[in-house]
Amino acid sequence: NAGVMQNPRHLVRRRGQEARLRCSPMKGHSHVYWYRQLPEEGLKFMVYLQKENIIDESGMPKERFSAEFPKEGPSILRIQQVVRGDSAAYFCASSPASGQPSYNEQFFGPGTRLTVL
Amino acid sequence: GQQLNQSPQSMFIQEGEDVSMNCTSSSIFNTWLWYKQEPGEGPVLLIALYKAGELTSNGRLTAQFGITRKDSFLNISASIPSDVGIYFCAGQPVKAAGNKLTFGGGTRVLVKP
């Protein structure tokens, strides 16, 4: 299965703990995007990364949130000192490099559902 | 930021019916994408549209990129029970940096009791 993989699927944290969400893009894709979805709402863009580069983080909260996409390994979305308002579904998507067919099409993983107690 | 207004917010379908939903924006979009999301899963790409006026089909689904580049619609013909789910439009605004998608609020498709 060459789809976008995310883990864990469910994550429970207490207030003040750290949450780490992982995403492996589809094979052959070099662009990764993170989105957040609250219940009954659409997805909201957070950050767009290429290998070792953050391209657009205009949707990321200024504090406690960070993302990386290292040369080797999955992309990581890190939330420090979680609060109840961070509870949401976090989705990762990937797309091919620019210039390739379907460059503008983003394919989503199954998501990580974060619950902050 | 850009907003996509998607309507209706929810609809009931009866097997065999044709249904339609649409998305509008005050901004011009380069790309329109339609996704379906089922409970506990991520959105699945149904149709991608790249040119104003483009009409594209995927099985019983048909979507169009509006001429003004500010709207798109999705039709489902001869609906079946497995069409139930939430359908999202998403677009890439002309002035957006990078490839970020702006999502509509979704249309929840339910089966008539």
Side-chain angles (χ1 to χ4, degrees), chain A residues 20-101:
Chain A
R20 280 194 179 205
L21 288 62
R22 295 174 189 78
C23 168
S24 296
M26 282 180 71
K27 189 176 181 180
H29 286 189
S30 57
H31 296 195
V32 165
Y33 313 80
W34 287 93
Y35 293 82
R36 178 163 62 180
Q37 185 180 35
L38 296 173
E40 310 297 319
E41 294 188 9
L43 282 72
K44 297 285 195 297
F45 169 79
M46 299 180 72
V47 62
Y48 162 35
L49 310 104
Q50 296 176 21
K51 287 283 187 183
E52 299 184 283
N53 280 310
I54 296 175
I55 307 302
D56 180 357
E57 55 182 347
S58 59
M60 286 275 272
K62 297 288 184 241
E63 296 177 350
R64 301 188 297 108
F65 285 72
S66 63
E68 62 177 10
F69 189 15
K71 188 176 180 181
E72 300 291 337
S75 175
I76 306 286
L77 179 67
R78 184 182 292 111
I79 312 173
Q80 295 177 304
Q81 299 175 334
V82 296
V83 301
R84 289 217 173 108
D86 295 333
S87 294
Y90 292 84
F91 291 97
C92 168
S94 72
S95 70
S98 56
Q100 293 190 19

Side-chain angles (χ1 to χ4, degrees), chain A residues 106-108, chain B residues 34-38 41-47:
Chain A
Q106 295 182 20
F107 296 87
F108 284 82
Chain B
W34 284 93
Y35 289 89
K36 180 186 179 186
Q37 186 178 30
E38 299 192 21
E41 299 297 329
V44 174
L45 182 62
L46 300 173
I47 292 179

Side-chain angles (χ1 to χ4, degrees), chain B residues 6 22 41 48 69 80 83 107 113:
Chain B
Q6 189 170 346
N22 66 76
E41 299 297 329
R69 299 171 69 187
I80 59 178
D83 289 333
T107 294

